[in-house]
Amino acid sequence: MLTPYLPHRRVGHGGGTAVRDLVTWLARRHEVMVVALVRPGEEDLLDEVRALGVAVRGLPFLDATARGLARVRLAGRRIASLTRSLSSGYPLYVEKYSPRLLGASLAAAVAEFEPDAIQVEYLQLALLVREMRRRRDADGRAAPRLILNSHELGSVPRERRAARATDPVTRALARDEAARWRRLQVDASNWADATLCVTPEDRALYEAMGGQRLLTVPLGMDLEAIRVDWAPGSRDGRETHLFVGSFGHRPNVLAADFLLDEVWMRVRAARPDAVLVLAGRGSDRYLATRGPVAGVEALGYVDDLTPHFRTARLFLAPLPEGGGIKIKVLEAMARGVPVVTTPVGAEGIATAADDVLTITGCDRSFAAAVLADAADTAACRRRAERARRHMEENFSWESITARLTEIYAAGS
């Protein structure tokens, strides 16, 4: 498995958490090597990943945390990435994961491990799929089988951003970026032997733009480790509503802005003792820049969110844009916590007809939905119980890894 994020315990975002869970479950069925990009300061975390029962190879990778001379090298690499992006028509975000930097090290890991299949996580690493395909074709071989796990279509949030834009410059830039992602996505599906889409919606969009050899395989939850333990207000008697997300991710910041600007004042007017808790990397810095907001607290990164999920009256996910499947929503459902979300937040998870989530617009109706659910704990509990059963039927890692095993074997 090739991943741009070392799947350690404090990875701090939903996709990275899902990859860690996936690695754990794949190791129960297969001999696995994780090849991961290792950023400055992560070198000591390799052993933590090995403890999952896998071999690990780290590929050093500079990011914004680089300092000193490394920062100068990073600037040079970003300029080179921009030049390649202008030439290739692919997104700059993708070109920074250059095969020129990472291809040889990846090839060495493949030669050492001799895998039957290579699963590449995230479309941002698609150029490395192309590199491995070229090397495989040059050797005249059909193995290893190349599986690209898209996670989300990069074009989708850019298209939604363009649709929401109120000024022509922002709209034009978002459309250009969406077009670059569409070009990459179509090409990438031709380099891989199979490309995984995490939602049926993503697969339909991908097929419409010309994607090939597409399969729908969702991300999941470790339902053995996560149990239902919902007891709202049990810790301190307060009515808390929870929002979780990495605040380095634009859709989470937009969702938090919407909560604070449009929703929370209406909720507090009707329920003056209610408290909104923001949790996730950067949430504390985010709230500090906003200034004090009555009834709002920010925790920053939290090592174990279990107590906060347990005592929350509702889990709020008013996502206005983004793509793929929302791990935060899956986790709340797995824990038996009632969820209020938007159609974007529910994509690939459930529809209104399933009656396992409260799904409403990213507008004034969201506050009304929060107030209605906050006032009817019994109905929320019944909906959350259905949500847990929905998770067990559709999003367990046991069933997902069984499906992946079939995909790995398809080329043998």
Side-chain angles (χ1 to χ4, degrees):
M1 177 177 286
L2 174 63
T3 170
Y5 309 111
L6 187 67
H8 57 84
R9 186 171 53 83
R10 294 175 59 88
V11 65
H13 52 83
T17 301
V19 171
R20 180 178 170 85
D21 281 353
L22 177 55
V23 166
T24 302
W25 279 84
L26 284 175
R28 299 182 182 186
R29 288 176 172 263
H30 303 279
E31 186 180 358
V32 178
M33 172 182 275
V34 173
V35 181
L37 306 189
V38 177
R39 291 158 174 78
E42 291 186 327
E43 296 83 0
D44 293 339
L45 297 170
L46 293 171
D47 284 341
E48 181 188 311
V49 181
R50 291 188 183 97
L52 301 177
V54 299
V56 180
R57 172 71 67 87
L59 306 183
F61 185 76
L62 294 178
D63 70 356
T65 62
R67 295 291 181 267
L69 290 177
R71 188 80 176 179
V72 176
R73 293 199 303 274
L74 176 63
R77 291 178 183 180
R78 292 293 168 84
I79 292 171
S81 298
L82 176 59
T83 301
R84 290 194 301 272
S85 177
L86 294 172
S87 174
S88 69
Y90 296 145
L92 171 61
Y93 189 67
V94 172
E95 287 288 357
K96 71 181 183 181
Y97 299 99
S98 167
R100 298 178 188 177
L101 293 173
L102 303 168
S105 297
L106 176 58
V110 171
E112 173 190 337
F113 196 65
E114 297 184 339
D116 299 305
I118 300 173
Q119 181 162 316
V120 178
E121 298 296 312
Y122 296 93
L123 279 161
Q124 67 207 56
L125 296 188
L127 297 181
L128 290 167
V129 178
R130 182 181 65 182
E131 176 73 7
M132 289 184 286
R133 181 63 178 260
R134 286 173 173 172
R135 290 175 183 265
R136 192 183 76 179
D137 290 350
D139 292 338
R141 302 174 60 190
R145 186 162 165 77
L146 298 175
I147 313 298
L148 176 59
N149 193 4
S150 61
H151 282 251
E152 73 172 31
L153 299 182
S155 59
V156 170
R158 278 79 183 178
E159 288 163 354
R160 288 173 171 163
R161 193 173 305 164
R164 288 167 49 85
T166 56
D167 69 276
V169 174
T170 300
R171 187 180 306 116
L173 290 173
R175 285 175 174 169
D176 176 73
E177 191 69 5
R180 290 175 178 274
W181 275 100
R182 287 194 297 272
R183 183 179 297 113
L184 172 85
Q185 288 157 189
V186 172
D187 289 350
S189 72
N190 288 303
W191 302 329
D193 296 300
T195 297
L196 310 182
C197 301
V198 298
T199 71
E201 294 90 342
D202 275 3
R203 181 176 176 177
L205 288 170
Y206 211 156
E207 286 177 339
M209 68 182 70
Q212 304 293 316
R213 298 184 291 277
L214 307 177
L215 302 169
T216 303
V217 180
L219 300 176
M221 274 284 126
D222 188 345
L223 299 178
E224 287 186 1
I226 296 177
R227 299 294 181 184
V228 174
D229 184 24
W230 185 52
S234 60
R235 181 170 51 176
D236 55 14
R238 299 191 304 170
E239 177 184 322
T240 62
H241 300 268
L242 181 63
F243 174 82
V244 173
S246 168
F247 279 69
H249 187 46
R250 172 186 162 93
N252 290 332
V253 174
L254 292 177
D257 285 345
F258 173 69
L259 278 174
L260 270 58
D261 293 339
E262 304 293 336
V263 175
W264 197 244
M265 57 184 173
R266 294 183 171 91
V267 172
R268 286 276 290 191
R271 306 180 75 85
D273 295 329
V275 177
L276 174 63
V277 175
L278 309 177
R281 183 165 286 127
S283 60
D284 48 349
R285 294 189 296 275
Y286 165 82
L287 188 58
T289 63
R290 296 279 311 223
V293 181
V296 180
E297 301 174 0
L299 305 178
Y301 176 80
V302 178
D303 191 55
D304 182 7
L305 285 165
T306 300
H308 302 285
F309 275 106
R310 179 187 301 123
T311 59
R313 177 71 65 90
L314 298 172
F315 184 82
L316 309 181
L319 296 160
E321 66 175 51
I325 208 162
K326 311 305 182 294
I327 297 299
K328 58 170 67 66
V329 174
L330 291 183
E331 183 169 2
M333 294 170 68
R335 293 181 179 277
V337 182
V339 177
V340 183
T341 190
T342 57
V344 170
E347 275 180 349
I349 299 174
T351 67
D354 294 315
D355 197 19
V356 296
L357 302 167
T358 295
I359 305 172
T360 188
C362 202
D363 50 36
R364 285 198 170 199
S365 66
F366 198 93
V370 171
L371 289 172
D373 280 0
D376 195 345
T377 302
C380 283
R381 188 180 297 276
R382 290 192 295 271
R383 188 179 301 114
E385 289 170 352
R386 291 192 294 272
R388 172 68 190 206
R389 291 194 295 272
H390 186 77
M391 289 291 299
E392 292 167 351
E393 293 166 3
N394 297 283
F395 297 100
S396 74
W397 280 123
E398 182 176 9
S399 63
I400 292 168
T401 51
R403 172 77 170 117
L404 287 171
T405 296
E406 295 173 356
I407 293 169
Y408 301 151
S412 60

